[in-house]
Amino acid sequence: MSKGRQFSDEFKAKVALEALKGQKTVAELAVEYEVHPSQINTWRGILKERLAGAFRGSDTKVLREKDETIEQLQKIIGQMKLEHDWLKKKLHL
């Protein structure tokens, strides 16, 4: 097991899923996949946290609302910049 190794998302998911299944101990998985046990526990924790999101149908709604909010904020910033520039010109007169 070397430090600084990069693991693909697919690999992490595979190992985390194996850990969640509980058919093998984390120590056994660590030996099998040549990964430190604490890393497996971290991936398993991340997988557990994100699993519930797989069943939410509103994820696209949340993303759409986020995009709309960003668009509105960009319009407000643009308007404020115009007003700022206009005020700067008026103050110099």
Side-chain angles (χ1 to χ4, degrees):
M1 290 181 265
S2 64
K3 289 187 175 191
R5 280 179 46 191
Q6 298 291 318
F7 300 101
S8 71
D9 293 339
E10 292 79 14
F11 178 80
K12 293 175 189 178
K14 177 181 176 181
V15 175
L17 189 56
E18 285 292 319
L20 272 179
K21 287 179 185 177
Q23 295 174 345
K24 295 180 182 177
T25 67
V26 172
E28 290 172 328
L29 292 171
V31 171
E32 181 178 339
Y33 291 106
E34 298 180 356
V35 178
H36 195 277
S38 65
Q39 186 66 67
I40 294 174
N41 285 326
T42 299
W43 294 341
R44 180 176 57 188
I46 292 168
L47 182 61
K48 284 170 76 172
E49 287 174 11
R50 296 183 182 174
L51 270 177
F55 298 103
R56 271 189 233 120
S58 63
D59 282 348
T60 55
K61 180 182 176 189
V62 169
L63 289 175
R64 190 176 342 106
E65 289 172 355
K66 190 178 192 180
D67 288 343
E68 289 171 2
T69 301
I70 290 170
E71 188 176 325
Q72 289 172 347
L73 291 171
Q74 287 173 336
K75 285 179 183 178
I76 292 169
I77 291 169
Q79 181 64 35
M80 290 177 75
K81 183 168 177 11
L82 284 173
E83 292 171 2
H84 178 263
D85 292 345
W86 183 82
L87 285 170
K88 276 174 60 176
K89 286 181 186 178
K90 290 294 179 186
L91 286 174
H92 289 291
L93 294 178

